[in-house]
Structures are given as C-alpha cells and as structure tokens.
Amino acid sequence: MDDNEDLDYVEEDYYATLNLPRSATQEEISKAYRNLSKIFHPDKHGNGENKQKAELMFNRTKKAYEVLSDPHQRAIYDSLGVKGLETEGWEIVHRTKTPNEIREEYERLAQEREERRLQQKTNPRGNISVHINATDFFSRYDDEYYDTGLLPSIEVSGMSMSQSIEAPLSRTEIATLSGSLHLQNGVGSGNFLLSGKRLINKGWFEVDCGAGNGPVLGAKGSRNLTNRIFLTGGTTFHFRPNAIIPGLSGTMAIQLDKNTLGYLTYNAGLQSSMSTVVERNTEKYHCNLTITLGIPHCYIAAAYTRKLLEQGLKLRVALKGGTFGFLSECGAEKKVSKYSSVSATVCVGVPSGVTLKIKVVRSTQTYLFPIHLCEEIIPAAVFYATVTPLVTYFVLKKMLFDPMNEATKQKNIERVKETNSARMAEKRREAESAISLMGALFERIRKDELKRQGLIIVSALYGKFSDAENVSLEEADDMGFVHQNPLVIDVRIPLQCLVKDSQLTLYSSSKSELPGFYDPCFGEEKQLKIDYEFRNNSYSSVFSDTDPVRLPIVTNEAEQYAKNF
C-alpha cells in the first residue's frame, strides 16, 4: 500500500515559461525574455481588456526572467525550486556561494525554523522478530507414542522485540531510551539502556547505562581524523554477581575512493574477534567482503546487491563459510511505497538447513519472520522457499497493493488538486489570455511559413489520451451527446508562435508551463500530438509530456512512421 505523501504545491517552471533548457546562457535568457516581451508588454495592447491580460502574462514572464538572470537566485532556484526562494534568511547569505553551499544553507535555515518543534518530537524505532519452526512440513517426526495428526505442526520457537525512543535535548545533545525482550524455547531475557549523546567537533561522544543480566555501564565515541579516516571506539562493563566483565571495541574506517570504504574492527570481551571489511556502494550495486578471526568462530563472507532503482527492486546474493559451517543466501527486496518495503531471502546452509526469511519494513519499524523449513538441505524445501514468496507477492500485488495504491494515488491527486485549485484556475486564465494576445503574431508567422513552404502547425492537442489516431477536442457520452473533452486542449496557436525559421524546439520539461498551455488533467500522464505540414508534405507526431520536441522530423526513419492526412 502506498503512503500518504505531503501535499505538493504546483511550482512555477521558469525555464519552461521562457522555453529554455536548464543549461541556458545569460544571452539566451535575455533573448527569450525580449521575444516574449514583444508579445505580452502591456504598452502594446492599448487600455482595454487586452492590456489587463498582457499585464498578467508580462508579470509572469518578468518574474521568470528576474530569477534566471540573477546568478544567485538562479542557483537557489536550481537547487531548491521556488520554495528555496521563499525561505527567509537569504539576505545574510553571501551571493557567491556554490549550489551545494546554498543547499546546506537552506537546510540550516530550515533546521533553525523547526528546532522547537523537533525538540518536542521523538524518533521511535522498533524491530520485531518472530522465529517460526516449520520443519514438520518436510521432515515429519514420527513417534509411536504421540499422535502427530494429519497436518504438520507450526510453532513459534522464539521471539524478540526491541524499541528505542530518541529525544533531541538541543542541537548537539540527544537522549535515547531503548529496550528489548527475547524469548527462545520458553526461556526469556530482557534489557533496557539509557544513552546520552553529544555532538562535538568532528565527532560525537556517548554514555550508556542500563540493566539486563546485571547492570551495564559504557561509553563510546567517534572522531574524524582526516577527511578520509575516522575512528569509533567504546568500552562496556557488565556487572555480574561474582565478577565484572569488561568489553572493548574499536573501529577504524578509511575511505578508499568515492564509493569504497574499508573497516578494521577489534572486539574484546565475552566474544573476542578482529574483522576486516571492504565495502563498495554505488547507484547500481552494493558489495562487501568480510574476514573475521575470533572466538568462538572464524569466517569469511561476501555479499552482492544489485539495485534496480526504476523498478524499486534490490537483488541480493551472499556466501558465508567458516568454523560454524557454510551458508548461502539469495533474496530480493521490493519497495511497495515511499516508506515501505518487503523482502524475502532463502538461506541454505550446513548445519542450519533451509530457512526462509520474510522482512517487512514500514517507516522506522521492521518486522522479521525467519521460518525454519528443514534441518537438512532438501530440494523440495528450497523450491517452495523460492517460489512461495514470489507467488504470494504477485497475488497480493494484484489483489491488494495495486488497488490500494491506485485508490491512494487518486485520493492524493484530488487533495493536491484542491490545494492548488486557485493556482490551476489562474494557470488556465493565463493560458487563455496568452492565446488571445498571440493572434497577430500567429498570423504573421503562419503567413511567412506558408510563403517559404516551411513548418505549418495544422493541429496540436495536449492532454490525456490513449488513442492518438482518434483524439479530439470533442467526445460523445453514453447517450450520444457530443460535448467538450475536458482532458484535452487546443495548443495550435501557441506552438505556431514558437516556430522560428521553420523549426519548433521544446525542451525537456512539462509542456503545461509553456505560454498558452495549462494542465487539463492534473496528476495524469499527458501527451502532445502535433499534425504539421513541411515542404508540402503532411506529418503527425506524438510526444510524452516531458519529451524534448524537434520539428520538423523528415528523416527516412521518421517518414516511415509519419501519417499522411
């Protein structure tokens, strides 16, 4: 199911207003502004209704020019959008800052504005693990003195829960209260921990105190030695009835390159070990290699995760071997909404057997269900552990997730429409005003293009339509009555006015921000269909909303797909 996202405000796209690419130079910005000023300047339209329309469009054009022609405002707009320009406090920011510095400054200003509210909030995090024993499915235990029944038994062999609450005391101090409960084969244990963390120059320091199997005291901290090296270390003292058991841990991390980190960790105490980890993380994959020497186990482990960002999917394989035996893992994680994901991992090993791990992440809460299928490696168990999660996910996706996501999407669209209703009505009035002011320019450009047998826009429709062959400004209802199609608008005039030297160029941004355009179907996927003539030949092309447009298209390949009238 999808998460309810914050209501979005429809912001101005100043580049689309001037029909410019985001890489436009100052000269191109000034030239585009001058061209639009020739159309929309109020002095060119007398004192009647047209002058009021011209003032509306000219003010919009002027605002876009003022932002993009000022390097400082343009850097803020490119980094943060209109919301960045509206943030208070920029008057104290030096005007030569880079976009990254501007973003950092914006985050600082926003943090100061929300500091009081954040101090009153907690940051709860929780984990619940339920260990399920389902070995009776594949290797039933026969006992002549005990009736096992017709159906295999499933039992909960263990459970663990942990929860933490974080409270910011100030900008540099954080208090955390955490606790956990564990139950395994009828034997339970629990603990709680109170931590105080303070941010210091180039690092942090934390003091812990708690109780579980006796009182626990500890301290740890971290410090950056250089831009590439940092150290983290700590010590703990477990107080038992007859002894005090100390513990010591330390980690040195080195950034080997932009995407690679190396860790060297030493632990001493109840379980002593030394491990080396090399980890590489990029936009497309994540992999790591771990070598651990310790008591009671030594092992080597490797894992590789492939990130398919467009599909919201991660595929993971891992191998681990050592004195405890051998373990291999194969799994997938699917993002089902902005804050939720599900994953399934098949673990096959010796002597552990076959285990299926199901994990559900919902915001800061994690639910883990390790299901132990058999104590030996049985092909049937491996098969069902692999296939069952896939079938279950696709069934739930079809019957539950997709309908709920669609319903939530439509609900959010309606909420955003309501929030932006005044803005959308204003955009429509601006588009109608722009078209009424373009009449003279439209006729002049069209006349010039006819003389040179250049680019003539015969028809241009913008909006939501699935059948480009039959799209029209009018449609018939179930009763056969013809009425205006509310999802499609006519943009022939504004497109013809953008033709220059028999060429039409639109850049990679939503067409709804172009002069003479507006969004007729907010939140829906839109297309632009253009029927045009060039060199006495007729063509038709369809573009998605954010596709760049270059007309005319008269290559051999394009002519194969062009439709003659």
Side-chain angles (χ1 to χ4, degrees), residues 98-158:
T98 65
N100 286 338
E101 292 172 329
I102 288 172
R103 180 173 290 277
E104 292 174 359
E105 191 67 26
Y106 170 78
E107 293 173 351
R108 184 188 67 79
L109 293 171
Q111 182 180 4
E112 290 179 355
R113 186 175 63 249
E114 298 293 332
E115 183 175 353
R116 290 184 180 178
R117 184 174 65 88
L118 290 175
Q119 287 179 356
Q120 299 173 353
K121 282 194 170 184
T122 60
N123 183 23
R125 297 178 181 275
N127 294 276
I128 297 178
S129 297
V130 179
H131 299 262
I132 301 173
N133 187 345
T135 56
D136 207 32
F137 265 95
F138 298 97
S139 55
R140 301 203 66 180
Y141 179 72
D142 295 326
D143 191 337
E144 58 180 326
Y145 302 104
Y146 177 72
D147 185 9
T148 57
L150 297 176
L151 298 176
S153 64
I154 300 176
E155 62 180 15
V156 176
S157 59

Side-chain angles (χ1 to χ4, degrees), residues 288-307:
N288 63 64
L289 176 66
T290 303
I291 300 175
T292 298
L293 301 175
I295 300 172
H297 293 302
C298 300
Y299 65 87
I300 181 171
Y304 177 84
T305 302
R306 179 68 176 179
K307 304 176 184 178

Side-chain angles (χ1 to χ4, degrees), residues 129-353:
S129 297
V130 179
H131 299 262
I132 301 173
N133 187 345
T135 56
D136 207 32
F137 265 95
F138 298 97
S139 55
R140 301 203 66 180
Y141 179 72
D142 295 326
D143 191 337
E144 58 180 326
Y145 302 104
Y146 177 72
D147 185 9
T148 57
L150 297 176
L151 298 176
S153 64
I154 300 176
E155 62 180 15
V156 176
S157 59
M159 179 180 293
S160 63
M161 295 182 292
S162 64
Q163 185 76 27
S164 67
I165 299 176
E166 186 177 280
L169 303 178
S170 67
R171 293 185 60 187
T172 59
E173 296 177 342
I174 301 172
T176 303
L177 178 63
S178 60
S180 63
L181 292 173
H182 306 275
L183 179 67
Q184 188 71 31
N185 296 324
V187 179
S189 63
N191 63 73
F192 79 91
L193 191 68
L194 177 63
S195 304
K197 185 175 183 180
R198 182 179 178 86
L199 302 180
I200 58 177
N201 185 30
K202 295 184 179 181
W204 53 266
F205 180 76
E206 182 176 299
V207 176
D208 307 324
C209 63
N213 187 11
V216 177
L217 294 177
K220 54 187 173 183
S222 177
R223 182 173 178 83
N224 294 342
L225 299 182
T226 68
N227 291 335
R228 291 180 173 270
I229 302 175
F230 70 86
L231 293 177
T232 300
T235 182
T236 58
F237 294 92
H238 296 263
F239 293 87
R240 301 294 170 82
N242 300 317
I244 299 177
I245 303 176
L248 180 67
S249 65
T251 298
M252 180 176 69
I254 304 175
Q255 186 170 356
L256 303 176
D257 60 36
K258 180 181 179 181
N259 302 110
T260 308
L261 284 171
Y263 300 91
L264 181 62
T265 302
Y266 174 75
N267 292 303
L270 294 175
Q271 293 184 347
S272 300
S273 66
M274 176 174 285
S275 62
T276 301
V277 180
V278 178
E279 182 180 83
R280 183 170 179 81
N281 190 13
T282 69
E283 292 184 356
K284 294 184 177 181
Y285 66 88
H286 174 272
C287 60
N288 63 64
L289 176 66
T290 303
I291 300 175
T292 298
L293 301 175
I295 300 172
H297 293 302
C298 300
Y299 65 87
I300 181 171
Y304 177 84
T305 302
R306 179 68 176 179
K307 304 176 184 178
L308 304 176
L309 299 180
E310 293 184 359
Q311 294 80 17
L313 184 66
K314 294 181 180 179
L315 304 177
R316 181 178 182 272
V317 294
L319 297 173
K320 186 176 181 180
T323 55
F324 65 90
F326 174 80
L327 181 67
S328 64
E329 296 183 356
C330 179
E333 178 181 335
K334 175 65 177 177
K335 186 175 182 180
V336 295
S337 69
K338 183 177 180 180
Y339 300 108
S340 303
S341 64
V342 295
S343 65
T345 302
V346 181
C347 306
V348 179
V350 176
S352 59

Side-chain angles (χ1 to χ4, degrees), residues 413-429:
I413 289 174
E414 293 301 322
R415 293 171 67 190
V416 177
K417 280 184 179 180
E418 183 178 352
T419 302
N420 295 277
S421 58
R423 174 72 185 123
M424 295 169 68
E426 180 186 353
K427 290 285 291 181
R428 180 169 183 169
R429 289 194 300 270

Side-chain angles (χ1 to χ4, degrees), residues 71-85 90 102:
H72 179 64
Q73 292 193 61
R74 183 179 180 182
I76 296 173
Y77 175 73
D78 288 346
S79 298
L80 304 167
V82 175
K83 65 180 180 180
L85 296 170
W90 287 115
I102 288 172

